[in-house]
Amino acid sequence: MRRLWGRLSSVNVQKAVWGLEELGLPYERIEAGGAFGRVRDPDYVALNPNSLVPVMEEDGFVLWESNAILRYLARGHDLGGLWPEHPRAAALVDQWLDWQATRFTPATRDAFWQTVRTPPENRDQAVIDRSVAASEDCAAILDAHLMGRPFLVGDRFTAADIVVGAAAHRWLHLDVPRTERPALRAWYERLRARPAADVALPGLS
């Protein structure tokens, strides 16, 4: 039995759900985090001492950290597909997973929290502006890389597109001014056309 703990409004849960859906793997998703609570309950902390989502349980095996979950699923169930077999291609997928976690999502975080989860009267425009500027730097990197490329690594959809695509989904739906970047937008629309993306990527909340 495979269980995934986490609310779908979490970008990290979205990545895990997208991977599971792409692979056609059966799973049960249990609401946790945010308004659903649970993450500080003793039984949940026993699964993830960080009190964060997502957590995946699979026949007694417990794994947290969304990119680690996606790596495990892709390597175990779609080696040569979502996870390339060639070491250099696999290294490039790892590169984009790390970039999403260390650059892109941190850049967008304050703009997301300020414009989506903070009441208008409590928002700090200077914080939003700094976050938007950092996010634009990341978007420019993505757009330049995607010029003439259908996907982030090679000519096929990989785990890199899932993690960066989920972060791009958040960025492109924030109510902030942004530079239109044609290559990034075309890539995002290719990802959104995938049935698994419809399940994994809801509106922002």
Side-chain angles (χ1 to χ4, degrees):
M1 180 62 187
R2 187 179 293 108
R3 292 178 178 168
L4 185 72
W5 295 80
R7 69 194 191 282
L8 204 51
S9 58
S10 160
V11 68
N12 291 322
V13 175
Q14 291 167 12
K15 291 184 285 184
V17 168
W18 195 346
L20 288 162
E21 292 288 334
E22 287 284 351
L23 295 168
L25 297 174
Y27 67 99
E28 174 192 9
R29 186 173 64 82
I30 303 170
E31 300 285 13
F36 297 100
R38 293 286 287 120
V39 295
R40 298 198 181 278
D41 293 351
D43 60 336
Y44 190 90
V45 174
L47 297 175
N48 184 353
N50 302 290
S51 296
L52 297 172
V53 293
V55 172
M56 190 181 74
E57 295 180 273
E58 187 183 74
D59 300 324
F61 174 63
V62 177
L63 186 63
W64 37 266
E65 290 296 330
S66 57
N67 286 359
I69 291 170
L70 191 56
R71 285 184 177 101
Y72 169 76
L73 293 171
R75 288 169 175 164
H77 297 278
D78 200 19
L79 190 61
L82 281 185
W83 201 268
E85 289 188 278
H86 193 282
R88 289 185 177 177
L92 289 173
V93 173
D94 262 328
Q95 167 189 274
W96 286 107
L97 265 64
D98 287 353
W99 181 82
Q100 173 271 315
T102 62
R103 287 292 314 279
F104 196 15
T105 293
T108 64
R109 182 175 293 120
D110 284 344
F112 169 76
W113 274 94
Q114 289 284 321
T115 62
V116 176
R117 294 187 178 167
T118 301
E121 63 274 15
N122 295 332
R123 292 174 187 170
D124 186 328
Q125 190 60 46
V127 170
I128 295 172
D129 291 345
R130 285 194 297 271
S131 179
V132 168
S135 301
E136 285 281 29
D137 288 345
C138 292
I141 290 170
L142 262 183
D143 190 63
H145 178 76
L146 288 163
M147 289 288 186
R149 290 185 172 93
F151 300 107
L152 284 173
V153 177
D155 60 358
R156 64 185 301 167
F157 179 87
T158 68
D161 297 289
I162 291 177
V163 298
V164 181
H169 173 73
R170 172 172 284 188
W171 165 240
L172 292 172
H173 286 82
L174 292 180
D175 186 18
V176 296
R178 70 179 64 78
T179 301
E180 187 57 38
R181 304 186 188 276
L184 190 164
R185 177 67 67 173
W187 164 78
Y188 173 73
E189 295 301 333
R190 280 192 291 278
L191 301 191
R192 287 296 283 130
R194 302 180 72 87
D198 275 342
V199 178
L201 301 178
L204 299 190
S205 62

